[in-house]
Amino acid sequence: MRDNRRIFLFDVNHTLINTALYHTQALEVLEKGLKKHTDAKSASYITERYDEIFLLMVAGFLLKTDKEWKEIRGGRTSYLELMKLITKHQEEVKNKWGFIKKWSREVFLKIAAEEIDVDITPQALFELGTVYWDTITRLTEPLEEGKKLLSHLYSKGYPVYLLTSSDGRLTSNNGFFEYDPKLSGSYKKNRMKALSLKGLKFRDVIVGDPEDKPLPGYYERAIKTIEKDMKKKIHISSFVMIGNSFEDDLETLMEMNVGTGVLFKKGSSPMKKKNDIYRVGNLMEVVDLLSL
Ligand SMILES: [Mg+2]
């Protein structure tokens, strides 16, 4: 018999979609946009550096060992230098909020433009960030298995919510970057709603603005939002969280005694790891594992 109390929470990136797949195509559109603010040669330089900065940030997120870093130009040192620069640009954000938004594309653009002394207005930086993200949203196709699993859950009447990180959209004021969680969050929420038109069925999205995954405050806010949406108190054991990162998606919720955690590692064989943590290599395996 199916458990009527279950509520499903999904991470988005690398679980239901793959944003990085569309990054390269978005660069072309970004370069076109940059040409409205500077000459063609500078636009091309800034786009190239923006790409390098993005890839170095991805490396910083994924790589763990010195051996892995040896493959990357500039190695870990260049990543740490970049992080210092990103932090410096967000001093005001850090003072006000206690954190920085390290993936902010507006800051990547600013750093790239500064290297060749091209001055792009704060407003233009934000507009260019929008051009980049809008292109990615337009191109994004949800992963097939994700669409299938969400449709299956929908047909069985299980509520589904998306738990996604912030895009870190930053505006600027007097030469400093500024963070408005409402603006950043509603932008991301609209991007996620566009996915529902591409076959992903869900009830609502909880975005990492202001606090983001894996902070307990993020999950507490998520649960409050869901309780409000469902108009009832929900016990933490009713939640099933599905994501591709143990640290970002599962660890905090496990500490809060969430009902079930599912780690999605593409291609790995399905297994029960311990207690209520499962691993799947294909999202649809969740159906059999949890008898849905
Ligand atoms: Mg993810």
Side-chain angles (χ1 to χ4, degrees):
M1 210 179 74
R2 89 183 160 88
D3 181 353
N4 282 318
R5 295 162 307 165
R6 273 182 172 148
I7 295 169
F8 285 79
L9 313 176
F10 280 85
D11 164 53
V12 178
N13 204 16
H14 292 121
T15 299
L16 298 174
I17 62 170
N18 189 352
T19 298
L21 274 183
Y22 309 101
H23 163 78
T24 311
Q25 281 163 279
L27 289 179
E28 285 169 35
V29 187
L30 179 68
E31 186 169 348
K32 227 191 232 170
L34 274 161
K35 283 182 189 158
K36 289 180 193 154
H37 303 282
T38 185
D39 60 89
K41 206 176 143 207
S42 303
S44 155
Y45 177 89
I46 294 167
T47 308
E48 223 168 90
R49 282 294 293 143
Y50 175 90
D51 184 31
E52 285 171 6
I53 290 168
F54 173 75
L55 295 176
L56 193 52
M57 289 301 289
V58 173
F61 176 68
L62 295 176
L63 305 188
K64 309 275 182 237
T65 64
D66 287 341
K67 196 172 158 238
E68 288 172 313
W69 272 108
K70 276 215 174 96
E71 310 290 318
I72 307 290
R73 189 153 66 95
R76 201 198 300 264
T77 318
S78 60
Y79 169 69
L80 295 175
E81 287 294 315
L82 174 61
M83 274 310 296
K84 245 191 239 165
L85 202 52
I86 290 174
T87 308
K88 193 189 108 204
H89 276 291
Q90 297 189 49
E91 247 165 41
E92 300 291 303
V93 177
K94 192 159 189 197
N95 286 342
K96 185 163 177 194
W97 294 94
F99 52 71
I100 61 159
K101 290 290 179 190
K102 65 178 188 179
W103 291 92
S104 169
R105 305 306 198 266
E106 288 81 12
V107 177
F108 295 179
L109 279 170
K110 174 80 179 169
I111 290 171
E114 255 182 2
E115 287 178 2
I116 48 168
D117 292 326
V118 169
D119 191 27
I120 300 176
T121 66
Q123 200 195 346
L125 283 176
F126 190 79
E127 280 167 18
L128 290 164
T130 303
V131 163
Y132 172 83
W133 281 121
D134 281 357
T135 307
I136 286 189
T137 310
R138 183 168 48 80
L139 296 171
T140 298
E141 279 305 325
L143 301 170
E144 249 350 277
E145 302 302 330
K147 273 198 283 193
K148 255 199 220 166
L149 179 56
L150 261 55
S151 297
H152 179 82
L153 295 172
Y154 180 82
S155 73
K156 299 278 179 178
Y158 291 110
V160 168
Y161 294 88
L162 305 189
L163 268 53
T164 190
S165 299
S166 163
D167 284 348
R169 301 300 316 272
L170 299 182
T171 50
S172 356
N173 184 22
N174 295 326
F176 296 105
F177 278 106
E178 236 184 4
Y179 174 53
D180 174 356
K182 276 215 177 85
L183 184 142
S184 186
S186 68
Y187 180 79
K188 175 82 184 238
K189 208 165 173 169
N190 284 332
R191 287 208 320 109
M192 294 298 102
K193 280 191 178 150
L195 293 177
S196 64
L197 302 174
K198 298 188 185 195
L200 285 183
K201 290 184 193 297
F202 54 88
R203 279 178 75 119
D204 201 2
V205 188
I206 295 97
V207 180
D209 290 298
E211 64 283 278
D212 212 330
K213 293 192 271 185
L215 294 176
Y218 169 82
Y219 291 102
E220 283 155 16
R221 179 162 55 82
I223 292 167
K224 258 188 218 152
T225 309
I226 293 167
E227 286 181 336
K228 205 170 152 198
D229 183 55
M230 296 202 57
K231 299 185 180 66
K232 61 178 182 190
K233 195 105 189 107
I234 296 160
H235 196 269
I236 185 87
S237 64
S238 309
F239 290 112
V240 180
M241 175 73 199
I242 301 176
N244 72 306
S245 159
F246 182 76
E247 290 80 11
D248 280 353
D249 303 320
L250 299 182
E251 199 170 22
T252 309
L253 278 173
M254 289 292 147
E255 279 162 13
M256 291 161 77
N257 287 321
V258 74
T260 309
V262 179
L263 187 63
F264 169 48
K265 289 281 174 213
K266 200 175 160 58
S268 64
S269 47
M271 63 180 281
K272 184 167 186 168
K273 292 194 87 167
K274 57 174 182 182
N275 301 328
D276 287 311
I277 306 185
Y278 297 82
R279 188 188 73 192
V280 297
N282 175 323
L283 280 185
M284 281 305 281
E285 285 158 3
V286 170
V287 175
D288 279 343
L289 276 176
L290 304 182
S291 314
L292 303 169

mmCIF file of all heavy atoms in Angstrom, residues 68-100:
data_model
loop_
_atom_site.group_PDB
_atom_site.id
_atom_site.type_symbol
_atom_site.label_atom_id
_atom_site.label_comp_id
_atom_site.label_asym_id
_atom_site.label_seq_id
_atom_site.Cartn_x
_atom_site.Cartn_y
_atom_site.Cartn_z
ATOM 1 N N GLU A 68 44.055 15.967 -9.142
ATOM 2 C CA GLU A 68 43.006 16.463 -10.043
ATOM 3 C C GLU A 68 43.295 17.917 -10.447
ATOM 4 O O GLU A 68 43.109 18.299 -11.600
ATOM 5 C CB GLU A 68 41.635 16.399 -9.350
ATOM 6 C CG GLU A 68 41.105 14.991 -9.182
ATOM 7 C CD GLU A 68 39.837 14.945 -8.320
ATOM 8 O OE1 GLU A 68 39.805 15.579 -7.246
ATOM 9 O OE2 GLU A 68 38.899 14.266 -8.721
ATOM 10 N N TRP A 69 43.798 18.709 -9.512
ATOM 11 C CA TRP A 69 44.064 20.128 -9.785
ATOM 12 C C TRP A 69 45.214 20.312 -10.769
ATOM 13 O O TRP A 69 45.301 21.333 -11.447
ATOM 14 C CB TRP A 69 44.354 20.888 -8.486
ATOM 15 C CG TRP A 69 43.113 21.406 -7.841
ATOM 16 C CD1 TRP A 69 42.529 20.939 -6.704
ATOM 17 C CD2 TRP A 69 42.265 22.470 -8.316
ATOM 18 N NE1 TRP A 69 41.386 21.648 -6.439
ATOM 19 C CE2 TRP A 69 41.196 22.591 -7.409
ATOM 20 C CE3 TRP A 69 42.311 23.333 -9.419
ATOM 21 C CZ2 TRP A 69 40.186 23.536 -7.555
ATOM 22 C CZ3 TRP A 69 41.303 24.272 -9.564
ATOM 23 C CH2 TRP A 69 40.264 24.360 -8.646
ATOM 24 N N LYS A 70 46.116 19.334 -10.834
ATOM 25 C CA LYS A 70 47.262 19.427 -11.752
ATOM 26 C C LYS A 70 46.816 19.566 -13.201
ATOM 27 O O LYS A 70 47.510 20.124 -14.042
ATOM 28 C CB LYS A 70 48.163 18.180 -11.591
ATOM 29 C CG LYS A 70 49.148 18.319 -10.452
ATOM 30 C CD LYS A 70 50.487 17.623 -10.768
ATOM 31 C CE LYS A 70 51.484 17.900 -9.665
ATOM 32 N NZ LYS A 70 51.533 16.809 -8.663
ATOM 33 N N GLU A 71 45.629 19.030 -13.507
ATOM 34 C CA GLU A 71 45.112 19.065 -14.890
ATOM 35 C C GLU A 71 44.608 20.460 -15.276
ATOM 36 O O GLU A 71 44.359 20.735 -16.436
ATOM 37 C CB GLU A 71 43.941 18.079 -15.042
ATOM 38 C CG GLU A 71 44.198 16.672 -14.521
ATOM 39 C CD GLU A 71 45.183 15.925 -15.396
ATOM 40 O OE1 GLU A 71 45.065 16.043 -16.626
ATOM 41 O OE2 GLU A 71 46.079 15.251 -14.835
ATOM 42 N N ILE A 72 44.397 21.318 -14.284
ATOM 43 C CA ILE A 72 43.780 22.628 -14.531
ATOM 44 C C ILE A 72 44.841 23.717 -14.628
ATOM 45 O O ILE A 72 45.734 23.792 -13.781
ATOM 46 C CB ILE A 72 42.805 22.986 -13.369
ATOM 47 C CG1 ILE A 72 41.794 21.874 -13.140
ATOM 48 C CG2 ILE A 72 42.120 24.342 -13.597
ATOM 49 C CD1 ILE A 72 40.761 21.695 -14.222
ATOM 50 N N ARG A 73 44.722 24.556 -15.658
ATOM 51 C CA ARG A 73 45.685 25.650 -15.840
ATOM 52 C C ARG A 73 45.637 26.598 -14.635
ATOM 53 O O ARG A 73 44.573 27.040 -14.240
ATOM 54 C CB ARG A 73 45.356 26.425 -17.119
ATOM 55 C CG ARG A 73 46.424 27.429 -17.502
ATOM 56 C CD ARG A 73 46.422 27.674 -18.999
ATOM 57 N NE ARG A 73 45.180 28.326 -19.441
ATOM 58 C CZ ARG A 73 45.057 29.642 -19.601
ATOM 59 N NH1 ARG A 73 46.078 30.436 -19.399
ATOM 60 N NH2 ARG A 73 43.916 30.158 -20.013
ATOM 61 N N GLY A 74 46.800 26.862 -14.061
ATOM 62 C CA GLY A 74 46.843 27.748 -12.891
ATOM 63 C C GLY A 74 46.610 27.018 -11.573
ATOM 64 O O GLY A 74 46.938 27.527 -10.508
ATOM 65 N N GLY A 75 46.032 25.798 -11.667
ATOM 66 C CA GLY A 75 45.827 24.962 -10.484
ATOM 67 C C GLY A 75 44.955 25.593 -9.418
ATOM 68 O O GLY A 75 44.237 26.573 -9.659
ATOM 69 N N ARG A 76 45.041 25.030 -8.232
ATOM 70 C CA ARG A 76 44.210 25.476 -7.120
ATOM 71 C C ARG A 76 44.509 26.935 -6.729
ATOM 72 O O ARG A 76 43.616 27.669 -6.294
ATOM 73 C CB ARG A 76 44.418 24.558 -5.907
ATOM 74 C CG ARG A 76 43.272 24.627 -4.909
ATOM 75 C CD ARG A 76 43.662 24.076 -3.546
ATOM 76 N NE ARG A 76 44.083 22.682 -3.584
ATOM 77 C CZ ARG A 76 43.282 21.651 -3.323
ATOM 78 N NH1 ARG A 76 42.036 21.850 -3.021
ATOM 79 N NH2 ARG A 76 43.750 20.421 -3.356
ATOM 80 N N THR A 77 45.810 27.340 -6.938
ATOM 81 C CA THR A 77 46.193 28.715 -6.591
ATOM 82 C C THR A 77 45.335 29.718 -7.351
ATOM 83 O O THR A 77 44.869 30.704 -6.775
ATOM 84 C CB THR A 77 47.674 28.960 -6.972
ATOM 85 O OG1 THR A 77 48.410 27.812 -6.590
ATOM 86 C CG2 THR A 77 48.233 30.188 -6.299
ATOM 87 N N SER A 78 45.132 29.483 -8.635
ATOM 88 C CA SER A 78 44.360 30.451 -9.415
ATOM 89 C C SER A 78 42.889 30.455 -8.976
ATOM 90 O O SER A 78 42.226 31.492 -9.012
ATOM 91 C CB SER A 78 44.486 30.207 -10.916
ATOM 92 O OG SER A 78 44.028 28.926 -11.224
ATOM 93 N N TYR A 79 42.412 29.327 -8.513
ATOM 94 C CA TYR A 79 41.036 29.280 -7.993
ATOM 95 C C TYR A 79 40.930 30.115 -6.710
ATOM 96 O O TYR A 79 39.998 30.897 -6.542
ATOM 97 C CB TYR A 79 40.605 27.830 -7.739
ATOM 98 C CG TYR A 79 39.306 27.725 -6.973
ATOM 99 C CD1 TYR A 79 38.098 28.113 -7.554
ATOM 100 C CD2 TYR A 79 39.291 27.261 -5.654
ATOM 101 C CE1 TYR A 79 36.913 28.050 -6.847
ATOM 102 C CE2 TYR A 79 38.108 27.187 -4.939
ATOM 103 C CZ TYR A 79 36.917 27.581 -5.539
ATOM 104 O OH TYR A 79 35.737 27.514 -4.835
ATOM 105 N N LEU A 80 41.920 29.954 -5.834
ATOM 106 C CA LEU A 80 41.884 30.698 -4.563
ATOM 107 C C LEU A 80 42.008 32.202 -4.805
ATOM 108 O O LEU A 80 41.348 33.002 -4.149
ATOM 109 C CB LEU A 80 42.981 30.192 -3.616
ATOM 110 C CG LEU A 80 42.800 28.731 -3.169
ATOM 111 C CD1 LEU A 80 43.990 28.257 -2.340
ATOM 112 C CD2 LEU A 80 41.494 28.541 -2.386
ATOM 113 N N GLU A 81 42.847 32.571 -5.788
ATOM 114 C CA GLU A 81 42.977 33.994 -6.165
ATOM 115 C C GLU A 81 41.632 34.545 -6.649
ATOM 116 O O GLU A 81 41.224 35.646 -6.307
ATOM 117 C CB GLU A 81 44.007 34.150 -7.301
ATOM 118 C CG GLU A 81 45.459 33.952 -6.869
ATOM 119 C CD GLU A 81 45.929 35.030 -5.912
ATOM 120 O OE1 GLU A 81 45.645 36.200 -6.203
ATOM 121 O OE2 GLU A 81 46.545 34.690 -4.883
ATOM 122 N N LEU A 82 40.979 33.744 -7.501
ATOM 123 C CA LEU A 82 39.691 34.154 -8.047
ATOM 124 C C LEU A 82 38.660 34.328 -6.926
ATOM 125 O O LEU A 82 37.914 35.312 -6.895
ATOM 126 C CB LEU A 82 39.201 33.108 -9.065
ATOM 127 C CG LEU A 82 37.798 33.312 -9.633
ATOM 128 C CD1 LEU A 82 37.679 34.624 -10.390
ATOM 129 C CD2 LEU A 82 37.410 32.143 -10.547
ATOM 130 N N MET A 83 38.648 33.387 -5.995
ATOM 131 C CA MET A 83 37.694 33.477 -4.880
ATOM 132 C C MET A 83 37.918 34.740 -4.048
ATOM 133 O O MET A 83 36.967 35.370 -3.590
ATOM 134 C CB MET A 83 37.799 32.230 -3.976
ATOM 135 C CG MET A 83 36.958 31.048 -4.414
ATOM 136 S SD MET A 83 35.234 31.454 -4.761
ATOM 137 C CE MET A 83 34.677 31.974 -3.151
ATOM 138 N N LYS A 84 39.210 35.108 -3.905
ATOM 139 C CA LYS A 84 39.540 36.325 -3.166
ATOM 140 C C LYS A 84 38.951 37.547 -3.871
ATOM 141 O O LYS A 84 38.382 38.440 -3.249
ATOM 142 C CB LYS A 84 41.069 36.478 -3.101
ATOM 143 C CG LYS A 84 41.630 36.386 -1.688
ATOM 144 C CD LYS A 84 43.092 36.826 -1.685
ATOM 145 C CE LYS A 84 43.986 35.715 -1.184
ATOM 146 N NZ LYS A 84 45.392 35.915 -1.463
ATOM 147 N N LEU A 85 39.097 37.552 -5.193
ATOM 148 C CA LEU A 85 38.609 38.673 -5.991
ATOM 149 C C LEU A 85 37.069 38.751 -5.945
ATOM 150 O O LEU A 85 36.490 39.835 -5.806
ATOM 151 C CB LEU A 85 39.097 38.468 -7.431
ATOM 152 C CG LEU A 85 39.192 39.672 -8.353
ATOM 153 C CD1 LEU A 85 39.981 40.792 -7.708
ATOM 154 C CD2 LEU A 85 39.860 39.257 -9.673
ATOM 155 N N ILE A 86 36.434 37.598 -6.068
ATOM 156 C CA ILE A 86 34.965 37.545 -6.012
ATOM 157 C C ILE A 86 34.486 38.056 -4.652
ATOM 158 O O ILE A 86 33.524 38.820 -4.560
ATOM 159 C CB ILE A 86 34.464 36.097 -6.284
ATOM 160 C CG1 ILE A 86 34.695 35.742 -7.751
ATOM 161 C CG2 ILE A 86 32.990 35.940 -5.909
ATOM 162 C CD1 ILE A 86 34.376 34.303 -8.107
ATOM 163 N N THR A 87 35.187 37.654 -3.610
ATOM 164 C CA THR A 87 34.826 38.081 -2.249
ATOM 165 C C THR A 87 35.016 39.586 -2.094
ATOM 166 O O THR A 87 34.172 40.279 -1.517
ATOM 167 C CB THR A 87 35.680 37.320 -1.210
ATOM 168 O OG1 THR A 87 35.569 35.928 -1.482
ATOM 169 C CG2 THR A 87 35.211 37.591 0.205
ATOM 170 N N LYS A 88 36.124 40.097 -2.644
ATOM 171 C CA LYS A 88 36.408 41.530 -2.545
ATOM 172 C C LYS A 88 35.289 42.358 -3.204
ATOM 173 O O LYS A 88 34.856 43.373 -2.667
ATOM 174 C CB LYS A 88 37.755 41.821 -3.227
ATOM 175 C CG LYS A 88 38.308 43.212 -2.915
ATOM 176 C CD LYS A 88 39.519 43.535 -3.765
ATOM 177 C CE LYS A 88 39.120 44.557 -4.787
ATOM 178 N NZ LYS A 88 39.872 44.642 -5.972
ATOM 179 N N HIS A 89 34.814 41.886 -4.342
ATOM 180 C CA HIS A 89 33.742 42.601 -5.037
ATOM 181 C C HIS A 89 32.429 42.570 -4.258
ATOM 182 O O HIS A 89 31.521 43.333 -4.561
ATOM 183 C CB HIS A 89 33.521 42.001 -6.424
ATOM 184 C CG HIS A 89 34.460 42.559 -7.447
ATOM 185 N ND1 HIS A 89 34.392 43.858 -7.891
ATOM 186 C CD2 HIS A 89 35.504 41.993 -8.102
ATOM 187 C CE1 HIS A 89 35.344 44.065 -8.772
ATOM 188 N NE2 HIS A 89 36.030 42.955 -8.924
ATOM 189 N N GLN A 90 32.319 41.658 -3.307
ATOM 190 C CA GLN A 90 31.047 41.539 -2.573
ATOM 191 C C GLN A 90 31.196 41.873 -1.096
ATOM 192 O O GLN A 90 30.430 41.381 -0.260
ATOM 193 C CB GLN A 90 30.501 40.122 -2.736
ATOM 194 C CG GLN A 90 30.166 39.783 -4.164
ATOM 195 C CD GLN A 90 29.416 38.462 -4.278
ATOM 196 O OE1 GLN A 90 28.445 38.209 -3.581
ATOM 197 N NE2 GLN A 90 29.865 37.613 -5.172
ATOM 198 N N GLU A 91 32.176 42.745 -0.797
ATOM 199 C CA GLU A 91 32.406 43.117 0.602
ATOM 200 C C GLU A 91 31.128 43.640 1.268
ATOM 201 O O GLU A 91 30.807 43.279 2.392
ATOM 202 C CB GLU A 91 33.489 44.192 0.674
ATOM 203 C CG GLU A 91 34.763 43.695 1.337
ATOM 204 C CD GLU A 91 35.938 44.602 1.087
ATOM 205 O OE1 GLU A 91 35.751 45.835 1.125
ATOM 206 O OE2 GLU A 91 37.033 44.073 0.817
ATOM 207 N N GLU A 92 30.407 44.481 0.525
ATOM 208 C CA GLU A 92 29.181 45.072 1.084
ATOM 209 C C GLU A 92 28.114 43.998 1.330
ATOM 210 O O GLU A 92 27.393 44.054 2.312
ATOM 211 C CB GLU A 92 28.612 46.128 0.122
ATOM 212 C CG GLU A 92 29.566 47.272 -0.160
ATOM 213 C CD GLU A 92 29.768 48.166 1.058
ATOM 214 O OE1 GLU A 92 28.765 48.685 1.555
ATOM 215 O OE2 GLU A 92 30.921 48.316 1.496
ATOM 216 N N VAL A 93 28.046 43.069 0.401
ATOM 217 C CA VAL A 93 27.082 41.968 0.547
ATOM 218 C C VAL A 93 27.433 41.166 1.790
ATOM 219 O O VAL A 93 26.574 40.834 2.616
ATOM 220 C CB VAL A 93 27.092 41.048 -0.704
ATOM 221 C CG1 VAL A 93 26.156 39.860 -0.527
ATOM 222 C CG2 VAL A 93 26.716 41.838 -1.961
ATOM 223 N N LYS A 94 28.729 40.883 1.936
ATOM 224 C CA LYS A 94 29.186 40.078 3.072
ATOM 225 C C LYS A 94 28.900 40.798 4.394
ATOM 226 O O LYS A 94 28.434 40.174 5.358
ATOM 227 C CB LYS A 94 30.667 39.778 2.944
ATOM 228 C CG LYS A 94 31.090 38.730 3.926
ATOM 229 C CD LYS A 94 32.368 38.041 3.555
ATOM 230 C CE LYS A 94 32.531 36.874 4.535
ATOM 231 N NZ LYS A 94 33.862 36.367 4.567
ATOM 232 N N ASN A 95 29.157 42.110 4.420
ATOM 233 C CA ASN A 95 28.902 42.870 5.650
ATOM 234 C C ASN A 95 27.441 42.829 6.032
ATOM 235 O O ASN A 95 27.089 42.703 7.195
ATOM 236 C CB ASN A 95 29.320 44.335 5.466
ATOM 237 C CG ASN A 95 30.829 44.466 5.494
ATOM 238 O OD1 ASN A 95 31.523 43.562 5.971
ATOM 239 N ND2 ASN A 95 31.347 45.563 4.964
ATOM 240 N N LYS A 96 26.591 42.949 5.030
ATOM 241 C CA LYS A 96 25.158 43.021 5.325
ATOM 242 C C LYS A 96 24.546 41.647 5.619
ATOM 243 O O LYS A 96 23.714 41.508 6.492
ATOM 244 C CB LYS A 96 24.427 43.680 4.156
ATOM 245 C CG LYS A 96 22.971 43.900 4.430
ATOM 246 C CD LYS A 96 22.332 44.892 3.499
ATOM 247 C CE LYS A 96 20.845 44.978 3.809
ATOM 248 N NZ LYS A 96 20.126 45.666 2.757
ATOM 249 N N TRP A 97 24.955 40.636 4.844
ATOM 250 C CA TRP A 97 24.274 39.348 4.927
ATOM 251 C C TRP A 97 25.084 38.239 5.595
ATOM 252 O O TRP A 97 24.551 37.186 5.923
ATOM 253 C CB TRP A 97 23.872 38.879 3.516
ATOM 254 C CG TRP A 97 22.849 39.777 2.906
ATOM 255 C CD1 TRP A 97 23.091 40.839 2.077
ATOM 256 C CD2 TRP A 97 21.441 39.739 3.111
ATOM 257 N NE1 TRP A 97 21.912 41.446 1.734
ATOM 258 C CE2 TRP A 97 20.878 40.789 2.361
ATOM 259 C CE3 TRP A 97 20.593 38.906 3.853
ATOM 260 C CZ2 TRP A 97 19.511 41.039 2.346
ATOM 261 C CZ3 TRP A 97 19.232 39.146 3.828
ATOM 262 C CH2 TRP A 97 18.710 40.208 3.079
ATOM 263 N N GLY A 98 26.398 38.451 5.718
ATOM 264 C CA GLY A 98 27.245 37.432 6.342
ATOM 265 C C GLY A 98 27.709 36.355 5.369
ATOM 266 O O GLY A 98 28.336 35.378 5.766
ATOM 267 N N PHE A 99 27.361 36.496 4.089
ATOM 268 C CA PHE A 99 27.832 35.532 3.070
ATOM 269 C C PHE A 99 28.002 36.262 1.745
ATOM 270 O O PHE A 99 27.584 37.418 1.615
ATOM 271 C CB PHE A 99 26.834 34.375 2.886
ATOM 272 C CG PHE A 99 25.415 34.829 2.623
ATOM 273 C CD1 PHE A 99 25.054 35.407 1.409
ATOM 274 C CD2 PHE A 99 24.424 34.678 3.584
ATOM 275 C CE1 PHE A 99 23.749 35.820 1.146
ATOM 276 C CE2 PHE A 99 23.108 35.093 3.342
ATOM 277 C CZ PHE A 99 22.785 35.666 2.123
ATOM 278 N N ILE A 100 28.631 35.591 0.784
ATOM 279 C CA ILE A 100 28.675 36.146 -0.574
ATOM 280 C C ILE A 100 27.936 35.177 -1.495
ATOM 281 O O ILE A 100 27.702 34.026 -1.131
ATOM 282 C CB ILE A 100 30.118 36.358 -1.089
ATOM 283 C CG1 ILE A 100 30.870 35.027 -1.149
ATOM 284 C CG2 ILE A 100 30.860 37.379 -0.244
ATOM 285 C CD1 ILE A 100 32.064 35.046 -2.087
#
